[in-house]
Amino acid sequence: MNKILDFLYKKQSLIYKIFLFLLSVFLIVYFFPTQGKFKYEIIKNKPWQYENLYAPFDFPILKSDEELEAEKIEVQSTHIPYYVFDQATASNILRSWKTKSNTEVDSLIQNTISDNLIQSLLDSIYSRGLISESKRLNNKDLIYLKRANKVQETTYGNLINQDALNLFLNSTLDTLNQTTQTVLKSFFYDLLEPNVAYDQAFNDKLINSEIANISPTRGSVSKGSKIIAKGEIIEGEKLRILQSLKSEYQSEDLDSTSYIMILSGYSLLVALALLMLLLFLYQYRQDIYENNNKLTFIFFNILFMVFLTLVVMKIGYKYVYIVPLCILPLTLKAFFDARLGLFSHVITVLILGFVVPNSFEYMFLQISAGIVTILTVSELYKRANLFISVAQITGVYMFSYLAFSMIQEADFQSIDYNNFIYFILSGVGLLFVQPLIYTYEKIFRLVSDLSLLELTDTNSRLLKELANVAPGTFHHSLNVANLAEAAANEIGANALLVRVGALYHDIGKMKNPIYFTENQTTNITPHDELSPQESAQIIIDHRLEGIEYAKKNNLPDRIIDFIRTHHGTTTVYYFYQKAQQEAPEDVNIDSKDFTYPGPKPYSKETAILMMCDSVEAASKSLKSPNTNLIDEFVEKIINKQIEDDQFENANITFKDIQLIKKILKAKLNNIYHLRIEYPD
């Protein structure tokens, strides 16, 4: 049992990687649509590349979206509308019109007209029905009029609308004088209320019912019928039949054996794609592969983009381009590097290619956009750069889609321009990458260029404390930061990262600042009262003190690595030599007491810092610097580090080191360049 536990403990990192891999495969396949994959690629207006295709079974021909839309419009246009006749309104008006008459009308009734005339007019109007015109039709159009429990078929012209009411009153009152007509018309307009209305709810229900009954198919194809021959252009009816066959194939009910086969196929393909990613990390990004936190972060981002795409596809396949898939390479480039970001993006697109419609078009657009993302997005912490890159990415989407549509539709009017709106929405989604990066930093404890930029602020609390407590060290750190940044730019390393590392690499000297030469203002040094071993230990301990300061102030691990490695396993040579000189001849001085414990630099950036730190610190000892002296001085220090194998773990080449030497020589020559002496 102990052996098993011991084995599990030693292999826990590998076990976690296997678990993460299997869990990712399971989650992706679990949410994949479980349907058969049509084995032919259908590209409109392109020749059929396969052998002659015959119908494998009987299947119906699906109507196109345009045909279905035309039938819906026809249902709406041919629908005979229903109107409701409100008998109660008519009865109330007929029964109580006298109570609503005014003095002027009462006088007319007594002197000129009779009650019977008004009553007759009202009967004529309400027997036909007075309509409120929310939906205007032609007079000859048929309608259904619902009176109580009966439905009467009539024409729209039989109802009285506003225009018909004017004509009706004019013809009926024509025999009366003009004054009487005006008064009575005003009276009727105030008195009358519509008693016929369009039955919106009932008509909508009928129309929706008729639309639901529209058949999605027209005709059928018999088993064995030739669908298309090799070399024929995929267009018109042949395209519709092929799409119908694909839809029928994918919607076919699967038995348990077929279901298991499809799941197994998906699992193998997804596993292969993720395995390629793991192999890439193992081969070219060993530090990321060994770090389970970073590995989890990468897999999480891939899963997140896959799930987001699948959710959008559930809403509608046509919205698939709304998903801002380029957030993935943007995020991974911000935390790691461009090559890993692009590789992970390609793997994600390959996985989604199994389930998205028009997979070749989708993959071409997404991979093209991913490449542009990697090539154009630089210095993400600059807001203008992000907006410019988003515009370029959106432009690539639109340009590529337009090119595909020109091939497939051969007509600008047939292009679905809604996708351009989706591309713009996808671009807007890319703008959320900055808050997303900030969230990831907090959750996964990673550091991006945005955080590094904040750490370069010399007004931060920790750097202000360094400037106050150890001003010489602060000045030294600024000089090293400038040298290291220039060297990193020269060899293509992360200049912002190495600058931040240089600013904080010596914060441990705040513990005992006076014991370090750059902070001493007189010729008296406290080391005179200590043994060489004690002095060396104080010097060596500034590394551990720096790590403690960094952790207390929540500096990222990537910055702490600079503190940990900037002296590698070098020797505090001055005190080692002093100890040898002071020791009796029979006493052997152990060099381990004067050696930094390491580790050695393991990246280009940490190696650059070691070189720049040593050269800048030692350059203070130059008495009368000149070009030759500086060149020999730089060569001597860096060659000594190479001889001591300080860079054996770093991915830095001899060519890189030669370029760094060149930059350091040029910078030091500029620093020590003497001004000409001006006359008094």
Side-chain angles (χ1 to χ4, degrees):
M1 185 65 181
N2 289 335
K3 289 183 178 180
I4 296 175
L5 293 175
D6 186 54
F7 174 80
L8 293 176
Y9 178 78
K10 290 180 179 179
K11 299 294 182 181
Q12 58 178 325
S13 179
L14 178 60
I15 293 171
Y16 177 80
K17 290 179 178 62
I18 295 172
F19 169 76
L20 180 64
F21 173 78
L22 294 177
L23 178 64
S24 300
V25 172
F26 170 77
L27 290 175
I28 292 174
V29 173
Y30 180 79
F31 288 102
F32 265 10
T34 53
Q35 60 186 25
K37 184 73 175 176
F38 193 58
K39 61 182 179 179
Y40 302 109
E41 187 73 20
I42 303 172
I43 304 177
K44 187 177 179 181
N45 290 332
K46 294 286 287 182
W48 181 253
Q49 301 292 334
Y50 312 97
E51 296 299 325
N52 295 354
L53 179 63
Y54 297 89
F57 44 74
D58 295 338
F59 64 92
I61 302 173
L62 297 176
K63 295 176 182 176
S64 65
D65 293 338
E66 292 77 13
E67 290 175 314
L68 291 173
E69 188 62 30
E71 291 192 32
K72 290 179 183 178
I73 293 172
E74 184 181 359
V75 165
Q76 293 170 340
S77 63
T78 58
H79 171 71
I80 299 176
Y82 282 76
Y83 287 80
V84 178
F85 187 95
D86 186 1
Q87 185 62 50
T89 299
S91 300
N92 289 336
I93 297 295
L94 292 171
R95 185 172 57 250
S96 59
W97 69 268
K98 289 184 179 181
T99 62
K100 297 182 181 180
S101 62
N102 52 40
T103 304
E104 192 173 5
V105 175
D106 291 342
S107 176
L108 284 173
I109 293 173
Q110 293 174 4
N111 301 320
T112 308
I113 62 175
S114 65
D115 289 357
N116 292 335
L117 176 61
I118 296 179
Q119 188 72 39
S120 174
L121 286 173
L122 292 175
D123 286 338
S124 299
I125 292 171
Y126 281 111
S127 63
R128 291 172 60 184
L130 183 60
I131 185 171
S132 173
E133 289 186 308
S134 60
K135 185 177 179 68
R136 189 176 181 88
L137 302 176
N138 295 322
N139 286 336
K140 294 182 180 180
D141 289 342
L142 285 176
I143 64 168
Y144 291 119
L145 192 61
K146 297 165 64 177
R147 291 174 177 264
N149 296 326
K150 296 181 180 180
V151 176
Q152 172 190 351
E153 184 180 292
T154 183
T155 61
Y156 185 77
N158 283 335
L159 301 175
I160 298 178
N161 56 22
Q162 185 65 43
D163 294 337
L165 180 62
N166 287 332
L167 293 173
F168 179 78
L169 292 176
N170 287 335
S171 62
T172 306
L173 303 175
D174 188 50
T175 58
L176 302 176
N177 63 57
Q178 189 65 39
T179 302
T180 303
Q181 288 185 38
T182 302
V183 172
L184 285 176
K185 283 182 182 179
S186 176
F187 169 69
F188 278 115
Y189 289 146
D190 291 338
L191 173 68
L192 296 175
E193 295 180 12
N195 72 317
V196 176
Y198 180 76
D199 194 340
Q200 184 73 47
F202 188 72
N203 283 292
D204 287 346
K205 181 179 178 181
L206 289 178
I207 291 172
N208 291 334
S209 176
E210 291 182 61
I211 290 175
N213 289 329
I214 294 176
S215 173
T217 64
R218 52 167 178 79
S220 62
V221 177
S222 302
K223 180 179 179 180
S225 301
K226 186 169 78 171
I227 297 175
I228 192 170
K230 184 176 181 179
E232 283 190 86
I233 302 298
I234 305 173
E235 61 180 353
E237 187 67 10
K238 295 184 184 300
L239 173 63
R240 176 53 41 195
I241 293 174
L242 284 170
Q243 290 173 337
S244 301
L245 176 61
K246 179 179 180 179
S247 177
E248 186 71 17
Y249 186 87
Q250 293 179 340
S251 63
E252 186 179 356
D253 292 333
L254 302 173
D255 55 32
S256 58
T257 303
S258 300
Y259 182 78
I260 292 172
M261 287 291 289
I262 290 173
L263 286 183
S264 300
Y266 275 144
S267 299
L268 290 173
L269 290 172
V270 172
L272 179 61
L274 295 180
L275 183 61
M276 287 190 291
L277 176 61
L278 284 176
L279 291 174
F280 171 82
L281 294 172
Y282 179 79
Q283 189 71 26
Y284 299 105
R285 300 292 183 272
Q286 189 71 36
D287 58 319
I288 298 176
Y289 177 81
E290 296 296 339
N291 190 317
N292 284 336
N293 181 55
K294 294 179 179 179
L295 200 62
T296 303
F297 172 72
I298 294 170
F299 273 73
F300 172 81
N301 274 274
I302 292 174
L303 289 172
F304 176 67
M305 297 315 301
V306 170
F307 292 158
L308 184 60
T309 304
L310 293 176
V311 168
V312 171
M313 286 173 60
K314 289 283 186 182
I315 300 172
Y317 281 93
K318 62 182 179 179
Y319 302 123
V320 71
Y321 285 117
I322 291 180
V323 179
L325 203 65
C326 288
I327 277 184
L328 179 62
L330 270 176
T331 305
L332 296 185
K333 183 181 179 182
F335 287 108
F336 304 115
D337 60 82
R339 191 175 176 186
L340 175 58
L342 181 58
F343 194 90
S344 301
H345 178 70
V346 171
I347 292 296
T348 306
V349 172
L350 288 176
I351 292 173
L352 289 173
F354 301 145
V355 293
V356 295
N358 301 319
S359 56
F360 177 75
E361 175 188 316
Y362 177 86
M363 292 168 66
F364 184 90
L365 263 64
Q366 295 294 0
I367 292 175
S368 299
I371 292 172
V372 171
T373 302
I374 293 300
L375 294 178
T376 60
V377 178
S378 60
E379 298 178 326
L380 191 60
Y381 52 85
K382 296 181 180 178
R383 288 171 293 181
N385 287 2
L386 179 60
F387 282 96
I388 293 170
S389 297
V390 166
Q392 291 172 329
I393 293 165
T394 306
V396 168
Y397 273 128
M398 291 181 173
F399 181 82
S400 302
Y401 174 75
L402 182 63
F404 267 100
S405 298
M406 290 168 64
I407 294 172
Q408 295 174 2
E409 303 297 341
D411 180 10
F412 282 107
Q413 294 182 348
S414 301
I415 296 174
D416 185 2
Y417 290 100
N418 287 330
N419 280 326
F420 289 97
I421 299 175
Y422 303 152
F423 294 139
I424 293 173
L425 293 176
S426 176
V428 172
L430 288 176
L431 296 177
F432 288 92
V433 69
Q434 287 191 339
L436 189 64
I437 287 173
Y438 178 80
T439 304
Y440 283 150
E441 286 179 334
K442 300 304 178 185
I443 296 175
F444 291 95
R445 300 186 64 188
L446 298 172
V447 58
S448 68
D449 286 351
L450 296 173
S451 295
L452 291 177
L453 184 66
E454 293 175 359
L455 291 171
T456 59
D457 183 9
T458 53
N459 287 317
S460 65
R461 188 183 63 81
L462 188 56
L463 290 181
K464 286 181 71 174
E465 184 181 355
L466 177 64
N468 292 329
V469 175
T473 299
F474 178 73
H475 182 70
H476 160 72
S477 298
L478 287 176
N479 289 337
V480 174
N482 291 331
L483 292 174
E485 185 177 23
N489 282 324
E490 185 69 20
I491 68 170
N494 190 331
L496 185 58
L497 175 63
V498 75
R499 179 175 182 82
V500 176
L503 288 173
Y504 291 90
H505 79 285
D506 269 346
I507 57 174
K509 292 182 179 180
M510 287 192 292
K511 180 72 177 292
N512 297 297
I514 197 63
Y515 286 90
F516 298 91
T517 309
E518 66 266 23
N519 298 311
Q520 296 170 1
T521 56
T522 65
N523 292 328
I524 300 173
T525 171
H527 288 291
D528 293 340
E529 301 177 2
L530 302 175
S531 67
Q533 287 83 355
E534 291 173 325
S535 295
Q537 194 59 49
I538 291 175
I539 300 298
I540 292 171
D541 282 348
H542 88 274
R543 177 184 149 278
L544 290 176
E545 300 293 346
I547 293 172
E548 289 185 15
Y549 274 117
K551 289 183 176 179
K552 287 179 182 178
N553 287 274
N554 297 317
L555 289 184
D557 289 340
R558 292 177 76 183
I559 306 306
I560 295 175
D561 288 339
F562 285 92
I563 302 173
R564 187 180 288 116
T565 63
H566 73 279
H567 283 295
T569 57
T570 57
T571 301
V572 185
Y573 189 72
Y574 175 81
F575 290 110
Y576 176 58
Q577 191 177 44
K578 184 179 179 181
Q580 287 180 319
Q581 292 172 354
E582 294 178 357
E585 293 183 1
D586 57 338
V587 176
N588 187 24
I589 301 299
D590 190 354
S591 63
K592 291 182 180 179
D593 296 334
F594 300 86
T595 302
Y596 285 96
K600 297 175 181 179
Y602 60 87
S603 67
K604 284 184 179 181
E605 289 77 16
T606 50
I608 289 171
L609 178 61
M610 171 180 273
M611 289 184 253
C612 295
D613 180 44
S614 301
V615 167
E616 202 285 331
S619 67
K620 297 296 190 295
S621 64
L622 296 175
K623 302 299 182 184
S624 301
N626 56 55
T627 300
N628 291 333
L629 185 61
I630 288 174
D631 289 354
E632 292 175 2
F633 169 78
V634 171
E635 290 285 346
K636 178 182 177 182
I637 290 178
I638 296 181
N639 287 342
K640 181 66 168 63
Q641 291 173 338
I642 295 173
E643 290 172 8
D644 292 341
D645 296 327
Q646 295 301 315
F647 308 130
E648 63 180 357
N649 296 329
N651 58 337
I652 193 167
T653 64
F654 282 111
K655 181 181 178 181
D656 292 336
I657 294 174
Q658 290 303 118
L659 291 173
I660 293 170
K661 286 180 181 179
K662 178 182 175 182
I663 288 294
L664 293 178
K665 291 172 185 177
K667 289 290 182 181
L668 288 176
N669 272 290
N670 290 335
I671 291 172
Y672 289 105
H673 179 66
L674 298 177
R675 294 178 181 271
I676 62 172
E677 188 173 340
Y678 291 98
D680 294 334

